[in-house]
Coordinates of all heavy atoms in Angstrom, one line a residue:
T26 N -4.9 1.7 -12.1 CA -3.7 2.5 -11.8 C -4.0 3.5 -10.7 O -3.3 3.7 -9.8 CB -3.3 3.2 -13.1 OG1 -3.0 2.2 -14.1 CG2 -2.0 4.0 -12.9
K27 N -5.2 4.1 -10.8 CA -5.6 5.1 -9.8 C -5.8 4.5 -8.4 O -5.4 5.1 -7.4 CB -7.0 5.8 -10.2 CG -7.4 6.9 -9.3 CD -8.7 7.6 -9.8 CE -8.5 8.3 -11.1 NZ -9.7 9.1 -11.6
T28 N -6.3 3.3 -8.3 CA -6.5 2.6 -7.0 C -5.1 2.4 -6.4 O -5.0 2.4 -5.2 CB -7.3 1.3 -7.1 OG1 -6.5 0.4 -7.9 CG2 -8.6 1.5 -7.7
I29 N -4.1 2.1 -7.2 CA -2.7 1.9 -6.7 C -2.2 3.2 -6.2 O -1.5 3.2 -5.1 CB -1.8 1.2 -7.7 CG1 -2.3 -0.2 -8.1 CG2 -0.4 1.2 -7.3 CD1 -1.7 -0.8 -9.3
E30 N -2.4 4.3 -6.9 CA -2.0 5.6 -6.4 C -2.7 6.0 -5.1 O -2.1 6.6 -4.3 CB -2.2 6.6 -7.5 CG -1.3 6.4 -8.8 CD -1.6 7.3 -9.9 OE1 -2.6 8.0 -9.9 OE2 -0.7 7.3 -10.8
Y31 N -4.0 5.7 -5.0 CA -4.7 5.9 -3.8 C -4.1 5.1 -2.6 O -4.0 5.7 -1.5 CB -6.2 5.6 -4.0 CG -7.0 6.5 -4.8 CD1 -8.3 6.1 -5.2 CD2 -6.6 7.8 -5.0 CE1 -9.1 7.0 -6.0 CE2 -7.4 8.7 -5.8 CZ -8.6 8.3 -6.2 OH -9.4 9.1 -7.0
L32 N -3.8 3.9 -2.9 CA -3.2 3.0 -1.9 C -1.9 3.7 -1.4 O -1.6 3.7 -0.2 CB -2.9 1.6 -2.4 CG -2.3 0.6 -1.4 CD1 -3.4 0.2 -0.4 CD2 -1.8 -0.6 -2.1
D33 N -1.1 4.2 -2.3 CA 0.2 4.8 -2.0 C 0.0 6.1 -1.2 O 0.6 6.2 -0.1 CB 1.0 5.1 -3.2 CG 2.4 5.6 -3.0 OD1 3.3 4.8 -2.8 OD2 2.5 6.9 -2.9
S34 N -0.8 7.0 -1.7 CA -0.9 8.3 -1.1 C -1.8 8.4 0.1 O -1.6 9.3 0.9 CB -1.3 9.3 -2.2 OG -2.6 9.0 -2.6
R35 N -2.8 7.5 0.2 CA -3.8 7.6 1.2 C -3.7 6.6 2.3 O -4.4 6.6 3.3 CB -5.2 7.6 0.6 CG -5.3 8.8 -0.4 CD -6.5 8.6 -1.3 NE -7.8 8.8 -0.6 CZ -9.0 8.7 -1.1 NH1 -9.1 8.4 -2.4 NH2 -10.1 8.8 -0.4
V36 N -2.9 5.5 2.1 CA -2.7 4.5 3.0 C -1.2 4.3 3.4 O -0.8 4.5 4.6 CB -3.3 3.1 2.5 CG1 -3.0 2.0 3.5 CG2 -4.8 3.3 2.3
V37 N -0.4 3.9 2.4 CA 1.0 3.6 2.7 C 1.8 4.8 3.3 O 2.5 4.7 4.3 CB 1.7 3.0 1.5 CG1 3.2 2.8 1.8 CG2 1.1 1.7 1.0
K38 N 1.6 6.0 2.6 CA 2.2 7.2 3.1 C 1.8 7.5 4.6 O 2.7 7.8 5.4 CB 1.8 8.4 2.2 CG 2.3 9.7 2.7 CD 1.8 10.9 1.8 CE 2.2 12.2 2.4 NZ 1.8 13.4 1.5
T39 N 0.5 7.4 4.8 CA 0.0 7.7 6.2 C 0.6 6.8 7.2 O 1.0 7.2 8.3 CB -1.5 7.6 6.2 OG1 -2.1 8.4 5.1 CG2 -2.1 8.0 7.5
I40 N 0.6 5.5 6.9 CA 1.1 4.5 7.9 C 2.6 4.7 8.1 O 3.1 4.7 9.2 CB 0.7 3.1 7.5 CG1 -0.8 2.9 7.6 CG2 1.5 2.0 8.3 CD1 -1.3 1.7 6.9
Y41 N 3.4 4.9 7.0 CA 4.8 5.0 7.1 C 5.2 6.3 7.9 O 6.0 6.2 8.9 CB 5.5 5.1 5.7 CG 6.9 5.4 5.8 CD1 7.9 4.5 6.2 CD2 7.4 6.7 5.4 CE1 9.2 4.8 6.3 CE2 8.7 7.0 5.5 CZ 9.6 6.1 5.9 OH 11.0 6.4 5.9
E42 N 4.6 7.4 7.6 CA 4.9 8.7 8.3 C 4.5 8.6 9.8 O 5.2 9.2 10.6 CB 4.2 9.8 7.6 CG 4.7 10.2 6.2 CD 6.1 10.8 6.2 OE1 6.6 11.1 7.3 OE2 6.7 10.8 5.1
A43 N 3.4 7.9 10.1 CA 3.0 7.8 11.5 C 3.9 6.9 12.3 O 4.0 7.1 13.5 CB 1.5 7.3 11.5
T44 N 4.5 5.9 11.7 CA 5.3 4.9 12.5 C 6.8 5.0 12.3 O 7.5 4.3 13.1 CB 4.8 3.5 12.0 OG1 5.1 3.3 10.6 CG2 3.3 3.3 12.2
K45 N 7.3 5.8 11.4 CA 8.7 5.7 11.1 C 9.6 6.1 12.3 O 10.8 5.7 12.4 CB 9.0 6.6 9.9 CG 8.8 8.1 10.1 CD 9.2 8.9 8.9 CE 9.0 10.4 9.1 NZ 9.4 11.2 7.9
D46 N 9.1 6.9 13.2 CA 9.9 7.4 14.4 C 9.5 6.7 15.7 O 9.9 7.1 16.8 CB 9.8 8.9 14.5 CG 10.3 9.6 13.3 OD1 11.4 9.2 12.8 OD2 9.8 10.7 12.9
W47 N 8.7 5.6 15.6 CA 8.4 4.9 16.8 C 9.6 4.3 17.4 O 10.5 3.9 16.7 CB 7.3 3.8 16.5 CG 5.9 4.3 16.3 CD1 5.5 5.6 16.2 CD2 4.8 3.5 16.1 NE1 4.2 5.7 16.0 CE2 3.7 4.4 15.9 CE3 4.5 2.1 16.1 CZ2 2.4 3.9 15.7 CZ3 3.2 1.7 15.9 CH2 2.2 2.6 15.7
D48 N 9.6 4.2 18.8 CA 10.8 3.6 19.4 C 10.9 2.1 19.1 O 12.0 1.6 18.9 CB 10.6 3.8 21.0 CG 10.8 5.3 21.4 OD1 11.4 6.0 20.6 OD2 10.3 5.7 22.4
E49 N 9.7 1.5 19.1 CA 9.7 0.0 18.8 C 9.8 -0.2 17.3 O 9.2 0.5 16.5 CB 8.4 -0.6 19.3 CG 8.4 -2.1 19.2 CD 7.2 -2.8 19.9 OE1 6.4 -2.0 20.4 OE2 7.1 -4.0 19.9
P50 N 10.7 -1.1 16.8 CA 10.8 -1.4 15.4 C 9.5 -1.8 14.7 O 8.7 -2.4 15.3 CB 11.8 -2.6 15.4 CG 12.5 -2.5 16.7 CD 11.5 -2.0 17.6
V51 N 9.3 -1.3 13.5 CA 8.1 -1.6 12.7 C 8.5 -2.3 11.4 O 9.4 -1.9 10.7 CB 7.4 -0.2 12.4 CG1 6.2 -0.5 11.5 CG2 6.9 0.4 13.7
T52 N 7.7 -3.3 11.1 CA 7.9 -4.0 9.8 C 6.6 -3.7 9.0 O 5.5 -3.9 9.5 CB 8.0 -5.5 10.0 OG1 9.3 -5.8 10.7 CG2 8.0 -6.3 8.7
I53 N 6.8 -3.3 7.8 CA 5.7 -3.1 6.8 C 5.9 -3.9 5.6 O 6.9 -3.9 4.9 CB 5.6 -1.6 6.4 CG1 5.4 -0.7 7.6 CG2 4.4 -1.4 5.4 CD1 5.5 0.8 7.3
A54 N 4.9 -4.8 5.3 CA 4.9 -5.6 4.1 C 3.9 -5.1 3.1 O 2.8 -4.7 3.6 CB 4.7 -7.1 4.4
V55 N 4.2 -5.0 1.8 CA 3.2 -4.6 0.8 C 3.2 -5.7 -0.2 O 4.2 -6.1 -0.8 CB 3.6 -3.2 0.2 CG1 2.5 -2.9 -0.9 CG2 3.6 -2.2 1.3
L56 N 2.0 -6.1 -0.6 CA 1.8 -7.1 -1.6 C 0.4 -7.3 -2.0 O -0.5 -6.8 -1.3 CB 2.3 -8.5 -1.1 CG 1.5 -9.3 -0.1 CD1 2.1 -10.7 0.0 CD2 1.6 -8.7 1.3
P57 N 0.1 -7.9 -3.2 CA -1.3 -8.3 -3.5 C -1.4 -9.8 -3.1 O -0.4 -10.4 -2.6 CB -1.3 -8.2 -5.1 CG 0.1 -8.4 -5.5 CD 1.0 -8.0 -4.4
D58 N -2.6 -10.4 -3.3 CA -2.7 -11.8 -3.1 C -2.6 -12.6 -4.3 O -2.1 -13.7 -4.3 CB -4.1 -12.1 -2.4 CG -5.3 -11.4 -3.1 OD1 -5.0 -10.6 -4.1 OD2 -6.4 -11.6 -2.8
H59 N -2.9 -12.0 -5.5 CA -2.8 -12.7 -6.8 C -2.9 -11.6 -7.8 O -3.4 -10.5 -7.5 CB -4.0 -13.7 -7.0 CG -5.3 -13.1 -6.7 ND1 -5.9 -12.1 -7.5 CD2 -6.2 -13.2 -5.7 CE1 -7.0 -11.7 -7.0 NE2 -7.3 -12.3 -5.9
P60 N -2.5 -11.9 -9.1 CA -2.8 -10.9 -10.1 C -4.2 -11.0 -10.6 O -4.9 -12.0 -10.5 CB -1.9 -11.4 -11.3 CG -0.9 -12.4 -10.7 CD -1.7 -13.0 -9.5
T61 N -4.8 -9.8 -11.0 CA -6.1 -9.8 -11.7 C -5.8 -8.9 -12.9 O -6.1 -7.7 -13.0 CB -7.2 -9.1 -10.8 OG1 -7.2 -9.8 -9.5 CG2 -8.5 -9.3 -11.5
P62 N -5.3 -9.5 -14.0 CA -5.0 -8.8 -15.2 C -6.2 -8.2 -15.9 O -7.2 -8.9 -16.0 CB -4.3 -9.8 -16.1 CG -3.8 -10.9 -15.2 CD -4.8 -10.9 -14.1
C63 N -6.1 -6.9 -16.2 CA -7.2 -6.2 -16.8 C -7.7 -6.8 -18.1 O -8.9 -6.8 -18.4 CB -6.9 -4.7 -17.0 SG -6.7 -3.8 -15.5
H64 N -6.8 -7.4 -18.9 CA -7.2 -7.9 -20.2 C -7.9 -9.2 -20.0 O -8.7 -9.6 -20.9 CB -6.0 -8.0 -21.2 CG -5.1 -9.2 -20.9 ND1 -5.1 -10.4 -21.5 CD2 -4.1 -9.3 -20.0 CE1 -4.2 -11.2 -21.1 NE2 -3.6 -10.6 -20.1
L65 N -7.7 -9.9 -18.9 CA -8.4 -11.2 -18.7 C -9.6 -11.0 -17.8 O -10.6 -11.8 -17.9 CB -7.4 -12.2 -18.0 CG -6.2 -12.7 -18.8 CD1 -5.4 -13.5 -17.9 CD2 -6.7 -13.5 -20.0
R66 N -9.6 -10.0 -17.0 CA -10.7 -9.6 -16.1 C -11.0 -10.8 -15.0 O -12.1 -10.9 -14.5 CB -12.0 -9.3 -16.8 CG -11.9 -8.1 -17.7 CD -13.1 -7.8 -18.5 NE -14.2 -7.4 -17.6 CZ -15.4 -7.1 -18.1 NH1 -15.7 -7.1 -19.4 NH2 -16.4 -6.8 -17.2
T67 N -10.0 -11.5 -14.7 CA -10.1 -12.6 -13.7 C -8.7 -12.8 -13.1 O -7.7 -12.3 -13.6 CB -10.7 -13.9 -14.3 OG1 -11.0 -14.7 -13.2 CG2 -9.7 -14.6 -15.2

């Protein structure tokens, strides 16, 4: 949960705020590659 919050506050926020007013349109996609459920550990 903390790593997701870090991703939000330390990566996504920074990139969005830096690019939101660029003259050229910007596309941002957010996703994982696969689930890694904690109860399965795989």
Side-chain angles (χ1 to χ4, degrees):
T26 303
K27 186 178 290 186
T28 64
I29 294 166
E30 292 177 346
Y31 284 165
L32 181 72
D33 184 85
S34 63
R35 300 166 69 180
V36 176
V37 177
K38 175 183 177 180
T39 305
I40 291 170
Y41 172 74
E42 292 291 350
T44 61
K45 67 179 182 180
D46 295 323
W47 284 8
D48 292 336
E49 188 170 1
V51 175
T52 295
I53 303 174
V55 178
L56 74 166
D58 48 353
H59 52 68
T61 308
C63 289
H64 75 100
L65 294 175
R66 298 180 65 179
T67 192

